[in-house]
Amino acid sequence: MELLLSKSSMPILKYVAIALGWLMNGIFEVLDKIGLPNVGAAIVIFTIIVYLILSPVQYKTQKSSKIMAALNPELQKIQKKYQGKRDQYSMQKMQEETQALYDKYGVSMTGSCLPMLVQLPLLFAVYQVILYIPGYITRIRELFEGLAAQIMSVNGYSDIISNFVSDNSMRVRLGDTITQEKMIDFLYALKPTQWTKLQEVSQFAAMKTDMADVAAKSYKINYFLGINISEAPWDVIKNGFSSIGNGTATAAVILALIIGILIPLLAWFTQWLNYKLMPQQANTGDNAMANQMQSMNLIMPIFSAFICLTLSMGIGIYWIVGAVLRCIQQVIFNRKIGKMDLAEMEQ
């Protein structure tokens, strides 16, 4: 999966991403002032704040889902009453009785879906910010600006960098013209071993010391809980097993391998646990919505693991922290929603 760095240019989402980028940049600035300029820590704090913002919408969604689950037996009666009847009159009467039931308890067919649709632009924008870190965090962009300018002053730099990306199978899209923004994205995406290879490029020999300095600072801001979060778990896993195979594995490599395996597994488990904690509609076999939800409950955790396996570990951190927060929220929501009295709501 190829990474599209720089700021997001997607319609509508780019404006939401800009607002979230201000938040991420502010968090990093605070961390920098207290001597902890770390992207991983910034993502954790960023995730907590985003989910606090989303809490009211998520509660409304869960409340609607709980009511819908409670109404399911009555909905089944209405559906059974008109089962097999496809004439216009019967279909209209079934729709009227269904709507009357929803009105009775103050809910709607889209009550649990609409809030989720409202959240989608925000959640997609969150991924844009985390994937395109240099485009949104000023100090990180400034870290690479000087070196990017030096590289771009070398004759034929575009072909050199393009060949480097191809030879090292880097998942960065440079396009036909390598601008300063794309050069910064390229530098940010470099792994420690790739920094070493870049320093060995003969055309960049004069800036070897500057490269080593920037590489050390880049590693520091991206090193979090024993991993370099700019790397993907899949890359770490491949490198770990390769090192074990040729006998060059170090303790750091083994630790990174374990964490690389744990991230997609935790993404799967926390997502699965979150769905298990959510109010479920009783499935009587002919409830299409319940059947679809059960399918989603199986597919989405697997999808989560795949995404966190192939994208940067920063996305994995966001996904896991977010899923843990959702689980905590869900326990709180379940206790509060569990006290709901449908008789009182009807009255």
Side-chain angles (χ1 to χ4, degrees):
M1 187 176 294
E2 197 171 49
L3 299 186
L4 306 178
L5 301 179
S6 302
K7 282 190 177 181
S8 173
S9 59
M10 298 177 67
I12 300 176
L13 287 184
K14 65 180 180 181
Y15 301 110
V16 182
I18 288 173
L20 291 174
W22 290 338
L23 173 61
M24 177 69 89
N25 188 61
I27 293 170
F28 193 85
E29 286 287 342
V30 172
L31 290 174
D32 185 57
K33 289 185 183 301
I34 63 175
L36 295 172
N38 186 274
V39 176
I43 290 174
V44 171
I45 298 171
F46 176 76
T47 306
I48 293 172
I49 294 175
V50 168
Y51 273 86
L52 287 175
I53 293 172
L54 289 175
S55 289
V57 179
Q58 290 171 339
Y59 176 72
K60 184 176 181 180
T61 301
Q62 296 306 315
K63 182 179 178 181
S64 295
S65 296
K66 178 68 175 180
I67 297 173
M68 292 298 292
L71 297 185
N72 193 56
E74 295 188 54
L75 286 172
Q76 293 293 317
K77 289 180 182 179
I78 295 174
Q79 293 172 0
K80 193 170 184 179
K81 178 180 177 181
Y82 293 96
Q83 187 175 6
K85 299 179 181 180
R86 294 291 180 267
D87 58 281
Q88 185 177 355
Y89 175 78
S90 298
M91 295 294 288
Q92 184 176 349
K93 290 295 292 182
M94 183 176 73
Q95 185 176 359
E96 289 175 356
E97 290 183 27
T98 301
Q99 188 60 53
L101 179 63
Y102 289 151
D103 292 342
K104 181 179 177 181
Y105 294 99
V107 295
S108 67
M109 293 187 198
T110 59
S112 59
C113 298
L114 191 57
M116 293 178 66
L117 292 176
V118 172
Q119 293 180 63
L120 285 178
L122 181 60
L123 294 177
F124 282 133
V126 165
Y127 299 146
Q128 303 292 308
V129 172
I130 295 175
L131 282 175
Y132 313 161
I133 286 291
Y136 295 98
I137 299 182
T138 304
R139 291 194 179 275
I140 293 180
R141 183 169 63 252
E142 290 174 347
L143 171 62
F144 298 103
E145 281 179 341
L147 182 57
Q150 288 186 62
I151 293 175
M152 294 177 71
S153 67
V154 175
N155 289 332
Y157 76 90
S158 184
D159 291 335
I160 297 171
I161 297 300
S162 295
N163 291 334
F164 187 92
V165 168
S166 177
D167 293 342
N168 289 274
S169 302
M170 294 181 65
R171 294 175 293 125
V172 178
R173 180 180 295 178
L174 297 175
D176 297 330
T177 304
I178 301 181
T179 62
Q180 187 181 40
E181 289 76 15
K182 292 179 180 178
M183 184 63 72
I184 290 172
D185 294 333
F186 160 74
L187 293 173
Y188 179 77
L190 288 170
K191 303 171 188 176
T193 54
Q194 291 168 345
W195 273 108
T196 302
K197 291 180 181 179
L198 188 66
Q199 293 172 45
E200 295 171 353
V201 176
S202 59
Q203 293 90 332
F204 302 148
M207 57 191 82
K208 189 172 182 178
T209 302
D210 290 337
M211 282 187 180
D213 180 57
V214 173
K217 291 178 180 177
S218 176
Y219 182 77
K220 182 179 179 180
I221 63 173
N222 284 301
Y223 188 77
F224 183 71
L225 298 179
I227 56 174
N228 183 351
I229 65 170
S230 65
E231 296 187 76
W234 178 242
D235 295 328
V236 172
I237 292 170
K238 287 193 299 182
N239 178 63
F241 281 116
S242 175
S243 298
I244 292 173
N246 58 35
T248 60
T250 63
V253 170
I254 298 298
L255 176 61
L257 172 62
I258 294 172
I259 296 175
I261 294 172
L262 282 176
I263 282 181
L265 287 178
L266 286 174
W268 168 82
F269 176 73
T270 51
Q271 190 80 7
W272 172 83
L273 180 61
N274 182 246
Y275 282 123
K276 284 296 182 181
L277 290 171
M278 290 176 65
Q280 303 291 324
Q281 289 193 30
N283 188 3
T284 58
D286 57 348
N287 188 336
M289 183 176 293
N291 290 331
Q292 289 175 2
M293 285 300 297
Q294 285 192 357
S295 297
M296 290 295 290
N297 292 351
L298 292 173
I299 294 171
M300 286 306 296
I302 297 174
F303 178 72
S304 300
F306 173 75
I307 289 295
C308 293
L309 180 66
T310 56
L311 293 181
S312 72
M313 294 195 194
I315 290 293
I317 291 172
Y318 168 78
W319 206 296
I320 293 168
V321 172
V324 171
L325 289 173
R326 287 198 301 273
C327 289
I328 296 172
Q329 284 180 335
Q330 199 61 60
V331 171
I332 296 171
F333 291 167
N334 287 348
R335 289 181 179 178
K336 189 172 182 179
I337 293 172
K339 298 177 182 179
M340 288 170 47
D341 189 333
L342 289 181
E344 289 183 5
M345 291 183 63
E346 179 184 357
Q347 185 177 358

